[in-house]
């Protein structure tokens, strides 16, 4: 598999990832008042999706129970999600 040089592991990749994460250091660890739903929410997520990360952080801060179903490409779960929603995103 051809991985671009900018995405290969190395000290520069580690440093830039650490710097970008430092701005989000407390996200997902604080709590906010909310009225949680009676049943847990179901979060269908693609692996590594930056959008899923933001949603999970917010759910944690609001202390809302949720069930995450990971749907990587080619998985049975992804086909299940497509069957329920008719789309991947």
């Amino acid at each position: 598999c051809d991985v671009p040089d900018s995405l290969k592991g190395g000290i520069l990749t580690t440093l830039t990832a650490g710097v970008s994460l430092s701005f989000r250091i407390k996200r997902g660890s604080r709590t906010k008042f909310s009225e949680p739903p009676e049943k847990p929410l179901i979060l269908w997520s693609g692996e590594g999706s930056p959008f899923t990360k933001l949603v999970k952080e917010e759910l944690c801060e609001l202390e809302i129970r949720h069930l995450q179903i990971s749907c990587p490409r080619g998985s049975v779960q992804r086909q299940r999600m497509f069957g329920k929603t008719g789309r991947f995103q």
Side-chain angles (χ1 to χ4, degrees):
C1 160
D2 293 325
V3 177
D5 288 338
S6 61
L7 298 177
K8 288 183 181 175
I11 190 69
L12 183 60
T13 304
T14 303
L15 289 174
T16 55
V19 168
S20 66
L21 287 174
S22 66
F23 295 106
R24 306 192 58 76
I25 196 87
K26 295 204 182 234
R27 294 294 304 190
S29 62
R30 298 176 297 224
T31 59
K32 301 175 188 174
F33 177 77
S34 69
E35 292 289 333
E38 289 182 22
K39 293 182 179 180
L41 297 177
I42 298 176
L43 175 61
W44 296 82
S45 64
E47 276 187 11
S49 168
F51 308 110
T52 300
K53 179 175 175 47
L54 297 174
V55 171
K56 283 179 58 179
E57 285 176 353
E58 197 64 28
L59 289 172
C60 288
E61 287 184 358
L62 293 171
E63 296 185 332
I64 294 177
R65 293 182 305 151
H66 62 281
L67 171 66
Q68 179 181 348
I69 301 174
S70 197
C71 305
R73 286 193 172 111
S75 72
V76 173
Q77 296 293 27
R78 191 171 176 103
Q79 291 305 317
R80 220 176 112 206
M81 179 183 71
F82 185 74
K84 285 181 170 281
T85 64
R87 58 193 176 115
F88 290 122
Q89 293 184 1

